[in-house]
Amino acid sequence: MKLNIRGKNINVTEDLKEMCQAKFDRLDKYFHEEEMDVNLAVEGIEKKVESTIYLKGGTILRAEEKSEDFMDSVDMIVDSLVRQIRKYKTKLQRDRKSGESIRFESLSDDLEEEKESTSKIVRFKEISVKPMNEEEAVLQMELLNHDFFVFLDDQEMQVRVVYKRKDGNYGEIIPTMK
């Protein structure tokens, strides 16, 4: 697997690159020729690692971890990605197109002691979206004590979603047609 390693608030040394390559080599048994974006960052005393793998067919595997050491963060990321592959194995196989990159034969059945749960939608909820700006939407989200809030942008009259990020800030999802 080819790694694209970038750093934020850190100089990415060759030793750090080699350590990442060695740790992420564990994923080589699942992938053919995929590329992974790896972002390393220093936030105070914490070392943050984000990884993103874009698979054919539009599937994205992403993980983010923080710890006091880059090695620990990368180990946690690799474990998280392996769990994602196991969890979504059935879905990924079903959506798999010719030339798909995940090697499912590398996931032995005896390693999968976790129950394969088939997620399904168990509740439908209709909501009325009201025109408002982002600040009002964030306020409504906080008042409802939710992690996200769907609203109608009062300028463009388009559906938007605001959400609370792990770092305590907020994000906005703007749907587009491609």
Side-chain angles (χ1 to χ4, degrees), residues 124-170:
F124 293 88
K125 185 175 184 178
E126 288 186 21
I127 59 169
S128 61
V129 291
K130 297 179 181 155
M132 60 180 70
N133 62 33
E134 293 91 359
E135 290 81 21
E136 291 174 289
V138 168
L139 179 61
Q140 286 294 311
M141 178 181 66
E142 292 296 329
L143 289 172
L144 293 169
N145 197 25
H146 286 175
D147 295 329
F148 67 93
F149 187 78
V150 180
F151 69 102
L152 197 63
D153 183 318
D154 62 357
Q155 299 295 314
E156 297 179 25
M157 300 307 278
Q158 298 289 321
V159 174
R160 304 280 196 254
V161 178
V162 291
Y163 62 95
K164 189 161 190 142
R165 295 172 45 92
K166 289 180 185 177
D167 63 6
N169 292 314
Y170 300 98

Side-chain angles (χ1 to χ4, degrees), residues 47-65:
K47 311 299 189 268
K48 179 178 170 183
V49 179
E50 298 174 358
S51 69
T52 308
I53 304 171
Y54 299 94
L55 301 174
K56 296 173 185 167
T59 302
I60 298 173
L61 299 177
R62 185 178 186 290
E64 176 180 317
E65 295 291 344

Side-chain angles (χ1 to χ4, degrees), residues 4-80:
N4 301 319
I5 302 173
R6 288 183 220 97
K8 179 179 176 186
N9 301 330
I10 183 173
N11 182 19
V12 181
T13 63
E14 282 303 314
D15 289 341
L16 201 50
K17 285 181 182 179
E18 289 173 11
M19 182 274 300
C20 285
Q21 188 65 53
K23 296 286 185 179
F24 283 113
D25 277 350
R26 178 175 163 203
L27 297 175
D28 281 346
K29 63 183 175 182
Y30 302 114
F31 300 102
H32 291 283
E33 300 293 323
E34 260 41 50
E35 288 188 22
M36 178 190 294
D37 292 336
V38 178
N39 296 316
L40 307 172
V42 176
E43 296 178 351
I45 62 167
E46 291 188 317
K47 311 299 189 268
K48 179 178 170 183
V49 179
E50 298 174 358
S51 69
T52 308
I53 304 171
Y54 299 94
L55 301 174
K56 296 173 185 167
T59 302
I60 298 173
L61 299 177
R62 185 178 186 290
E64 176 180 317
E65 295 291 344
K66 290 181 186 178
S67 72
E68 293 183 5
D69 182 46
F70 278 119
M71 287 184 71
D72 293 339
S73 295
V74 171
D75 284 338
M76 289 187 289
I77 291 262
V78 170
D79 292 341
S80 176

